[in-house]
Amino acid sequence: QAQLVESGGGLVEPGGSLRLSCVVSGFDVEDITIGWFRQAPGKEHEAVSCITAHGRNTYSADYLKGRFTITRDNANNAVYLQMNSLTPEDTAVYFCAADTGGYYCSSFVTNFRRSADIWGRGTQVTVSS
């Protein structure tokens, strides 16, 4: 059964760091495209980062200013999101989602509402003093 499970969220101080994990079941993580998305209170989902099955194509939103890094770990069948220099504006529920067709990240992040085959349940990240 295909499933994505996020973990690693929590409450952190401004300027702190977190690493989110997305563990994939039902597919080999190296065979699919996975993206991270977030939903802040009162807002729609927005794309954060993405990595393709072959790992040759990645995407990170420019508003992140290079603070977040996406990686994959084939041994653990997981994708991670390293988040540094967190600000209160990063407070949101963070989701991972998969495109089992392995489309390029530029296409996936643009059309994720229709292209995402599987969504995780999300993990809450709260940045506050």
Side-chain angles (χ1 to χ4, degrees):
Q1 303 90 325
Q3 185 178 22
L4 308 179
V5 179
E6 304 97 333
S7 63
L11 175 64
V12 298
E13 298 284 339
S17 298
L18 285 174
R19 188 177 73 161
L20 306 184
S21 174
C22 175
V23 177
V24 178
S25 300
F27 290 90
D28 289 330
V29 72
E30 61 190 326
D31 292 335
I32 59 177
T33 298
I34 295 180
W36 284 97
F37 305 84
R38 69 185 187 184
Q39 185 176 32
K43 296 185 177 181
E44 294 292 327
H45 291 76
E46 63 180 352
V48 174
S49 193
C50 172
I51 187 165
T52 59
H54 47 71
R56 296 170 59 189
N57 180 238
T58 60
Y59 164 88
S60 292
D62 56 6
Y63 62 78
L64 298 174
K65 308 295 185 183
R67 297 181 295 116
F68 294 4
T69 302
I70 189 169
T71 58
R72 67 170 62 243
D73 181 350
N74 293 340
N76 291 308
N77 214 41
V79 170
Y80 304 109
L81 184 69
Q82 179 66 45
M83 305 187 297
N84 299 323
S85 301
L86 287 162
T87 73
E89 289 70 35
D90 295 316
T91 295
V93 179
Y94 285 72
F95 302 87
C96 60
D99 169 18
T100 58
Y103 289 176
Y104 288 110
C105 285
S106 59
S107 177
F108 185 39
V109 301
T110 300
N111 303 292
F112 64 89
R113 293 177 181 83
R114 292 186 293 179
S115 298
D117 300 305
I118 312 165
W119 286 87
R121 295 179 180 178
T123 184
Q124 176 71 48
V125 172
T126 302
V127 185
S128 179
S129 60

